[in-house]
Amino acid sequence: MTLRAAIYGASGYAGGELLRLLLGHPDAEPVAVISRSQAGQPVSAVHGHLARLTDLVFTGALSEKGGDPSRDLAQAPFGFGAPFVVSAHVWAARGRA
């Protein structure tokens, strides 16, 4: 079964590395990359080394059209990413999952 992942904080170093690892994994599929500061930009604008691997575009938040991830992964400083993860779980509890 393929892990479909949404990465919060994907524009940072750790988020880029996580995205690179997931793109190379046979059982993973990144379906959403979230970054408020880079929303609307292609991943390749921030992580040039991933240009040949993905055509994903950063979004400011996970929307209903966010690729229906099976896992939400946060790559942000402690305290900064917590509200995003909490809101994602509240959204899931309301019937998304």
Side-chain angles (χ1 to χ4, degrees):
M1 181 155 114
T2 300
L3 176 125
R4 297 171 51 82
I7 305 171
Y8 292 80
S11 64
Y13 177 79
E17 282 299 296
L18 177 58
L19 178 57
R20 181 185 64 78
L21 291 169
L22 291 174
L23 287 168
H25 196 286
D27 294 326
E29 178 187 3
V31 295
V33 285
I34 296 100
S35 169
R36 291 186 300 175
S37 65
Q38 300 297 326
Q41 297 293 318
V43 166
S44 60
V46 176
H47 302 298
H49 63 291
L50 300 177
R52 294 184 179 150
L53 301 176
T54 185
D55 59 356
L56 285 170
V57 174
F58 291 108
T59 62
L62 185 61
S63 69
E64 290 181 16
K65 296 180 182 178
D68 193 28
S70 57
R71 295 290 181 266
D72 296 318
L73 307 170
Q75 294 300 311
F78 182 76
F80 179 80
F84 299 107
V85 175
V86 169
S87 65
H89 286 285
V90 168
W91 188 22
R94 291 182 181 162
R96 182 174 163 269

